[in-house]
């Protein structure tokens, strides 16, 4: 599937476009915490894969539970979306985007926005102490 | 910018990292040149340089296209979804999903194929991982985790440059603006 030039893509390929691997997640738009939805475990696997739900020894259920809500909030924070904890349109539009397979959170440590904010808070405290002194 | 846990990096004194392509992929020179250009974007701003190795087995960085489960515990998932992944220093493995519709050259934003993915854009991002950068929340940064199909994004942002220079130092020839014109061309492209 390497096309040497954008204009060299054969018509047979153009006429046979496959759906994206995560397009079906859009069906979860509007799902709310506390309820159960068929296939929601797949979305949990997505969040698990990228580090938003910690390692679990058991299979994920289809319940919209606290772990999923927390994962969504962290995801929204990392991608600077509105932090609602819900599967709103803008969040799911972002989730289905193609992406790098490297996790955003590794061994419980966010490699993205959350960690940076902690570092910033420390810096702010340091400056505050300097001013007080 | 962020780093991986423990801030792994290539050892002090590393000047040139070698890379090689999985022989079984049989990549053309045009494809290989895309990776060379992607490596250049990082070497322009750091003290590191990159060269293609003769031997796949002895190269610091190995690049290959794979499909589905390819043995590293991170199977690819077909069209779109996960596009590629790379390992932190000094592992050197760089894997791309062979099921994607990779576009090597031309204006991918004008592609009629809705699943077209710009190869260089993904290569520049993954090289960042190979060098030790994690993901960034800065949307303009190369190290931002997502990229839509039919998008070209190859310019290192300030966030990327600051992150990599903190790890390896700055290229003495880099003045912060030397590559701007070529990058603007790329952006308009």
């Amino acid at each position: 599937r390497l096309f040497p030039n954008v204009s060299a893509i054969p018509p047979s390929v153009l006429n046979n476009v496959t759906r994206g691997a995560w397009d079906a997640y859009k069906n979860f738009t509007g799902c709310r915490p506390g309820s159960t939805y068929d296939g929601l475990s797949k979305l949990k696997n997505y969040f698990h894969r990228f580090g938003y739900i910690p390692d679990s020894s058991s299979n994920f259920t289809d319940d919209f539970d606290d772990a999923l809500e927390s994962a969504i909030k962290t995801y929204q924070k990392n991608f600077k979306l509105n932090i609602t904890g819900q599967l709103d349109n803008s969040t799911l539009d972002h989730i289905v985007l193609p992406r790098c397979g490297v996790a955003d959170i590794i061994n419980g440590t966010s490699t993205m926005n959350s960690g940076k904010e902690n570092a910033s808070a420390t810096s702010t405290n340091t400056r505050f102490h300097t001013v007080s002194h | 910018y962020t780093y991986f846990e423990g801030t792994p990096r290539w050892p002090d004194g590393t000047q040139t990292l070698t890379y090689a392509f999985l022989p079984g992929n049989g990549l053309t020179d045009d494809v290989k040149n895309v990776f060379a250009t992607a490596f250049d974007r990082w070497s322009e701003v750091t003290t590191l340089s990159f060269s293609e190795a003769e031997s796949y087995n002895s190269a610091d960085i190995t690049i290959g296209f794979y499909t589905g489960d390819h043995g590293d515990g991170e199977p690819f998932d077909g069209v779109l979804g996960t596009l590629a992944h790379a390992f932190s220093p000094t592992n050197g493995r760089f894997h791309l999903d062979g099921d994607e519709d990779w576009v090597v050259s031309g204006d991918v934003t004008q592609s009629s194929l809705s699943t077209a993915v710009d190869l260089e854009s993904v290569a520049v991002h993954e090289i960042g991982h190979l060098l030790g950068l994690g993901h960034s929340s800065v949307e303009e940064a190369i190290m931002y985790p997502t990229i839509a199909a039919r998008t070209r994004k190859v310019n290192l942002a300030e966030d990327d440059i600051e992150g990599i220079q903190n790890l390896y130092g700055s290229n003495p020839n880099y003045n912060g603006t030397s590559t701007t014109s070529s990058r603007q061309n790329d952006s308009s492209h």
Side-chain angles (χ1 to χ4, degrees):
Chain A
R1 305 291 280 192
L2 274 160
F3 301 107
N5 191 289
V6 72
S7 59
I9 300 174
S12 59
V13 173
L14 293 174
N15 295 331
N16 191 23
V17 175
T18 310
R19 293 185 71 199
W22 299 328
D23 284 358
Y25 293 160
K26 292 283 284 179
N27 296 333
F28 297 124
T29 305
C31 290
R32 293 186 172 277
S35 298
T36 301
Y37 302 92
D38 281 347
L40 197 61
S41 60
K42 292 176 183 171
L43 188 61
K44 288 183 177 175
N45 276 315
Y46 172 99
F47 281 114
H48 173 62
R49 175 170 186 175
F50 296 110
Y52 291 90
I53 295 180
D55 282 332
S56 169
S57 55
S58 58
N59 290 331
F60 292 116
T61 66
D62 286 337
D63 301 334
F64 196 139
D65 50 23
D66 291 345
L68 179 59
E69 186 176 7
S70 172
I72 293 167
K73 284 181 178 175
T74 306
Y75 182 91
Q76 290 167 332
K77 187 177 181 183
N78 277 351
F79 287 91
K80 297 180 178 174
L81 302 165
N82 287 333
I83 302 172
T84 62
Q86 296 187 10
L87 292 169
D88 47 50
N89 271 321
S90 59
T91 302
L92 278 163
D93 283 347
H94 210 93
I95 284 172
V96 301
L97 282 176
R99 59 163 291 158
C100 169
V102 174
D104 302 331
I105 299 173
I106 300 172
N107 294 332
T109 302
S110 176
T111 65
M112 293 181 66
N113 205 39
S114 304
K116 295 284 281 185
E117 286 189 358
N118 288 340
S120 174
T122 304
S123 171
T124 302
N125 287 340
T126 303
R127 282 199 300 272
F128 177 77
H129 285 301
T130 303
V131 172
S132 296
H133 177 70
Chain B
Y1 62 89
T2 61
Y3 304 119
F4 291 102
E5 189 179 12
T7 320
R9 47 160 288 168
W10 293 88
D12 280 338
T14 302
Q15 291 184 327
T16 301
L17 293 170
T18 58
Y19 62 90
F21 300 96
L22 185 67
N25 286 154
L27 301 178
T28 64
D29 286 345
D30 284 346
V31 175
K32 292 178 180 178
N33 285 338
V34 169
F35 289 93
T37 303
F39 279 116
D40 284 346
R41 293 184 183 277
W42 290 101
S43 61
E44 280 175 6
V45 301
T46 67
T47 55
L48 295 171
S49 61
F50 305 90
S51 68
E52 186 176 349
E54 296 282 330
S55 165
Y56 181 80
N57 291 327
S58 63
D60 298 310
I61 293 168
T62 53
I63 302 168
F65 288 82
Y66 301 87
T67 57
D69 187 351
H70 52 285
D72 63 2
E74 300 287 343
F76 284 128
D77 50 12
V79 175
L80 300 181
T82 300
L83 303 174
H85 55 231
F87 292 73
S88 59
T90 54
N91 182 294
R93 285 182 291 172
F94 175 2
H95 298 164
L96 301 100
D97 187 347
D99 280 330
E100 306 299 345
D101 294 318
W102 297 106
V103 171
V104 176
S105 69
D107 186 354
V108 73
T109 65
Q110 299 301 311
S111 172
S112 303
L113 184 59
S114 61
T115 52
V117 179
D118 185 61
L119 179 61
E120 187 182 340
S121 301
V122 174
V124 177
H125 176 98
E126 298 303 333
I127 291 167
H129 286 317
L130 292 166
L131 299 181
L133 290 179
H135 284 149
S136 170
S137 286
V138 177
E139 193 170 358
E140 297 74 26
I142 284 293
M143 296 315 294
Y144 193 69
T146 61
I147 184 168
R150 293 190 286 196
T151 300
R152 181 168 168 84
K153 182 180 177 185
V154 295
N155 305 329
L156 297 187
E158 205 174 307
D159 184 66
D160 305 304
I161 295 170
E162 196 179 328
I164 205 67
Q165 289 183 339
N166 280 345
L167 270 186
Y168 298 103
S170 173
N171 184 331
N173 297 320
Y174 176 70
N175 62 14
T177 57
S178 61
T179 56
T180 304
S181 59
S182 64
R183 287 186 182 140
Q184 284 172 340
N185 287 341
D186 280 331
S187 295
S188 61
H189 162 77

